[in-house]
Amino acid sequence: MENKKDCVTLDHGSGGLAARELVQEVFLSRLNNSRLAPLEDSAVLPVANGRLAFTTDSYVVDPLFFPGGDIGALAVNGTVNDLAMRGAVPLALSLGLIIEEGLPLEVLERVVDSIAAAAETAGVDVVTGDTKVVHRGAADKLFINTSGIGSIVEGVEISPGQVRPGDGIILSGTMADHGITVLAEREDLGFGGQLRSDTFALNHVVAALVEHFPGGIHALRDPTRGGVATTLCEIAVVSGSSMEIWEERVPLNRPVAVACEILGIDPFFLANEGKCLLFVDPAVEGEILKALHRHPGGKQASLIGRVTDGEAGRVVLHTAVAGQRLMTPLTGDPLPRIC
Amino acid sequence: MENKKDCVTLDHGSGGLAARELVQEVFLSRLNNSRLAPLEDSAVLPVANGRLAFTTDSYVVDPLFFPGGDIGALAVNGTVNDLAMRGAVPLALSLGLIIEEGLPLEVLERVVDSIAAAAETAGVDVVTGDTKVVHRGAADKLFINTSGIGSIVEGVEISPGQVRPGDGIILSGTMADHGITVLAEREDLGFGGQLRSDTFALNHVVAALVEHFPGGIHALRDPTRGGVATTLCEIAVVSGSSMEIWEERVPLNRPVAVACEILGIDPFFLANEGKCLLFVDPAVEGEILKALHRHPGGKQASLIGRVTDGEAGRVVLHTAVAGQRLMTPLTGDPLPRIC
């Protein structure tokens, strides 16, 4: 029987003394910075003239911990990546937690440790937060929302609308690692610890590319829920273009390929949490690829295809066995609560 | 038996086609604006040089609908108010939903209608969003996170740290309406429809006061969870001051007073969702009170007390029966899931 003192209680969500103690002991001790510390209704940040990116994501991944990461790392990296996908430099994150009564404090502390570590790696502070506690059974352990704001450097215009025929399509690394890892962990499939989530903050690699190749990057998108296939189809529709993808060029870790084969799951539909698709000016695609290869966030980057001026929304996959098939977006969900 | 087609399914949280359809049909049709419409990873907003306020809140209120409001209105007004409490003008909101599989679409639509109406009243757009769906039983119907950004006009310094001895303490209207309404609704206490949540966006009344009384408003705080008592105690601690409060001056709707009396609940600890405490320069407190009385957000505003230079953190309540007692912050939670 767990000791009530070592668990989150409804009192911790009360807005009263117990809530304040939780904030001090669990959050401020780990996430302390000058903007969070006053614990006021809003954090206040200086901003310069320009454009701000603003994004939000809730994380409901099950299980909370998995090889290569946990819900905390995911919540920081996922939101940082959504900012980076517009070419924005993250300025600050918010953190909203919904906790099920009875969650061991030790679990919460591990998650907040992970949030702190991921935020430090990404170089961004959590500046404002909120904690709610609901009755046992009214939520499943822990849900996290992170929102983020970032600044976009003048002249940077990165958006699916900028994609044009001829653009090279680069995937920044291997595909499907996160999705297959969470699935295997959840279903206890026992793939012998060879699978590992790819959760990773892409802001540093994106910032380096944006700086070195002004105008060279037309669009960026992280293929999370729905995977590479869904993301490509969406961008083909939005940009009114067609795409050709060569399956043999798409990086895939061997254990991931094996697990997908055994389970009969198409890795093109599985979530990635530390990869991005880049749509780039063909004149600099080789240099961008080289720059990616020198960065920890892009060592296995590969030119996987090209944008063409065919029918809008049409994405053709040239398969490894020299056939071809049309890629379609995911319809339903093969794997809920992946992030 | 509900028809599956009329309910939210796990597919709606997939990131695939079903998710996109939900976003188009339920969200974009109601919240449409030029920044949300592109549905990119982040919304992009122009900002001017200055200071930005950034805040987040999750809403887990049970029941979802109650007299005077619902979780949607609460989620907009609560976050708008957190921005307003720093004197910030709201620029944009984010909207993150966690939905339990099987939630009737009609319920979701009513909530999004309410979000749209509240956002229009507050004069702010929802510019970015996220939807997750979890298995039946893994959440209780619907949880909402809203984060918000706002700009703070140059020279405005509103913060509990600005509170000083002599400041007038104004409450912008009646106390405890939201807390007692949700409690009565949830427990089916049958107070005959006389109770009504006070959920209300305070940004317009705050903006008017900030403009007309530059420097006159030292601090603002909306007494939500923990109520007026907890908020006063917190500000007394942060500002290192003492406070005297006169109970007979604290506005309380008659049905609220009766319900609290019957239930043995202290209204000073009950949540408010459309009220604020103002700590103001005594030289202009009379004028501020008059300005409040002319505004829909402050018709029943009252000068309820004064900041003194006594012991830091000490809040004395002069009761209606001519006694006095020390106010203490809420310790535990008399009423979970109030917002």
Side-chain angles (χ1 to χ4, degrees):
Chain A
M1 190 66 197
E2 58 212 354
N3 182 340
K4 201 186 167 208
K5 272 192 64 178
D6 299 331
C7 292
V8 177
T9 65
L10 289 170
D11 288 347
H12 284 128
S14 64
L17 277 185
R20 176 125 321 214
E21 276 173 25
L22 185 78
V23 166
Q24 297 281 357
E25 287 167 23
V26 176
F27 295 99
L28 271 189
S29 63
R30 289 168 173 83
L31 302 172
N32 206 4
N33 61 72
S34 63
R35 291 183 181 117
L36 179 63
L39 297 177
E40 298 198 18
D41 286 321
S42 303
V44 174
L45 308 157
V47 283
N49 255 330
R51 288 167 305 157
L52 205 67
F54 183 29
T55 191
T56 193
D57 250 321
S58 297
Y59 299 84
V60 297
V61 66
D62 173 40
L64 296 179
F65 302 92
F66 42 81
D70 58 45
I71 190 172
L74 218 54
V76 170
N77 294 338
T79 294
V80 163
N81 290 349
D82 278 346
L83 294 172
M85 295 305 102
R86 298 301 298 268
V89 175
L91 293 176
L93 296 181
S94 68
L95 176 66
L97 290 98
I98 298 173
I99 307 175
E100 183 187 15
E101 177 192 17
L103 183 80
L105 270 175
E106 177 267 333
V107 169
L108 183 63
E109 287 165 353
R110 273 177 71 195
V111 170
V112 182
D113 279 335
S114 174
I115 289 169
E120 187 171 350
T121 302
V124 63
D125 283 337
V126 172
V127 299
T128 187
D130 175 59
T131 304
K132 294 290 190 302
V133 182
V134 298
H135 284 102
R136 211 178 283 260
D140 186 12
K141 299 184 286 290
L142 175 63
F143 300 145
I144 297 181
N145 177 284
T146 46
S147 299
I149 53 178
S151 65
I152 303 178
V153 173
E154 205 185 326
V156 172
E157 287 295 347
I158 294 175
S159 156
Q162 305 289 319
V163 170
R164 58 200 75 157
D167 279 1
I169 304 174
I170 294 173
L171 180 61
S172 69
T174 56
M175 175 173 73
D177 298 86
H178 179 74
I180 198 72
T181 302
V182 171
L183 176 65
E185 192 70 11
R186 191 152 71 200
E187 307 299 337
D188 205 8
L189 296 176
F191 281 104
Q194 294 184 289
L195 305 175
R196 199 175 159 80
S197 167
D198 63 337
T199 181
F200 186 85
L202 294 161
N203 58 316
H204 297 306
V205 63
V206 166
L209 294 177
V210 166
E211 188 188 341
H212 287 101
F213 302 98
I217 298 171
H218 296 158
L220 296 168
R221 182 68 69 90
D222 53 338
T224 56
R225 283 183 290 177
V228 170
T230 305
T231 303
L232 290 172
C233 290
E234 281 182 5
I235 293 189
V237 169
V238 170
S239 64
S241 59
S242 208
M243 296 175 189
E244 310 268 334
I245 306 294
W246 300 285
E247 188 175 17
E248 61 186 15
R249 296 210 193 166
V250 179
L252 194 60
N253 278 321
R254 177 83 190 142
V256 174
V258 169
C260 286
E261 185 74 29
I262 290 172
L263 299 170
I265 292 176
D266 185 345
F268 277 98
F269 285 128
L270 289 180
N272 308 276
E273 291 290 339
K275 301 294 157 48
C276 66
L277 285 158
L278 302 91
F279 298 83
V280 302
D281 184 337
V284 290
E285 67 188 26
E287 286 174 80
I288 288 177
L289 210 47
K290 275 187 215 158
L292 274 163
H293 290 158
R294 285 193 297 268
H295 198 281
K299 282 194 194 315
Q300 292 179 270
S302 172
L303 184 75
I304 65 165
R306 194 161 300 284
V307 179
T308 65
D309 57 5
E311 187 190 336
R314 183 180 170 94
V315 181
V316 177
L317 179 71
H318 298 274
T319 64
V321 292
Q324 63 179 47
R325 66 176 171 92
L326 272 187
M327 282 190 136
T328 52
L330 186 64
T331 316
D333 197 345
L335 195 57
R337 299 185 61 188
I338 201 68
C339 59
Chain B
M1 189 68 196
E2 57 210 357
N3 182 340
K4 202 187 165 205
K5 272 191 64 180
D6 299 331
C7 292
V8 177
T9 66
L10 289 170
D11 288 348
H12 284 127
S14 65
L17 277 185
R20 175 124 324 212
E21 277 171 25
L22 185 78
V23 167
Q24 297 281 356
E25 288 167 21
V26 176
F27 295 99
L28 271 190
S29 63
R30 290 168 172 83
L31 302 172
N32 205 5
N33 61 71
S34 63
R35 291 185 182 118
L36 179 63
L39 296 177
E40 298 197 19
D41 286 321
S42 302
V44 174
L45 310 157
V47 282
N49 256 331
R51 289 168 304 157
L52 205 68
F54 183 28
T55 190
T56 193
D57 250 320
S58 297
Y59 298 84
V60 298
V61 65
D62 174 38
L64 297 178
F65 302 94
F66 42 81
D70 58 45
I71 191 173
L74 218 54
V76 170
N77 294 339
T79 293
V80 163
N81 290 348
D82 278 345
L83 295 172
M85 295 305 103
R86 298 301 298 270
V89 175
L91 293 176
L93 297 180
S94 67
L95 176 65
L97 290 97
I98 298 172
I99 307 175
E100 183 187 15
E101 177 192 16
L103 184 79
L105 270 175
E106 177 265 333
V107 169
L108 183 63
E109 287 165 353
R110 272 176 72 194
V111 170
V112 182
D113 279 336
S114 172
I115 289 170
E120 189 173 347
T121 302
V124 63
D125 284 336
V126 172
V127 300
T128 187
D130 175 58
T131 304
K132 294 290 190 302
V133 182
V134 298
H135 285 102
R136 211 179 281 262
D140 186 12
K141 300 184 284 294
L142 175 64
F143 300 145
I144 298 181
N145 177 283
T146 47
S147 299
I149 53 178
S151 65
I152 303 178
V153 172
E154 206 185 325
V156 172
E157 288 295 346
I158 294 175
S159 155
Q162 304 290 319
V163 170
R164 59 199 73 158
D167 278 2
I169 305 173
I170 295 172
L171 180 60
S172 69
T174 56
M175 174 173 72
D177 298 87
H178 179 75
I180 197 73
T181 302
V182 171
L183 176 65
E185 191 70 9
R186 191 151 73 199
E187 307 299 336
D188 204 8
L189 296 177
F191 281 104
Q194 294 184 289
L195 305 175
R196 198 174 161 80
S197 168
D198 62 336
T199 180
F200 186 85
L202 294 162
N203 59 315
H204 297 307
V205 64
V206 167
L209 295 176
V210 167
E211 189 189 341
H212 286 103
F213 303 97
I217 298 171
H218 297 159
L220 296 168
R221 182 67 69 88
D222 53 337
T224 56
R225 282 183 290 176
V228 169
T230 306
T231 303
L232 289 173
C233 290
E234 281 182 7
I235 293 190
V237 169
V238 170
S239 64
S241 58
S242 209
M243 297 176 188
E244 310 269 332
I245 306 293
W246 301 284
E247 187 175 19
E248 62 187 12
R249 296 208 194 167
V250 179
L252 194 60
N253 278 320
R254 176 84 191 140
V256 174
V258 170
C260 286
E261 186 75 30
I262 291 171
L263 298 170
I265 292 176
D266 185 345
F268 277 97
F269 285 128
L270 289 180
N272 308 276
E273 291 290 340
K275 302 292 157 47
C276 65
L277 285 158
L278 302 92
F279 298 83
V280 303
D281 183 338
V284 289
E285 67 187 26
E287 286 175 77
I288 288 176
L289 210 49
K290 276 187 213 155
L292 274 162
H293 290 158
R294 286 192 298 268
H295 198 282
K299 282 194 194 315
Q300 293 179 269
S302 172
L303 184 75
I304 66 165
R306 193 162 303 283
V307 179
T308 66
D309 57 4
E311 188 189 336
R314 182 180 169 94
V315 181
V316 177
L317 179 71
H318 298 273
T319 65
V321 291
Q324 62 179 48
R325 65 177 170 92
L326 271 188
M327 282 190 135
T328 52
L330 186 65
T331 315
D333 197 345
L335 195 57
R337 298 185 63 188
I338 200 69
C339 60

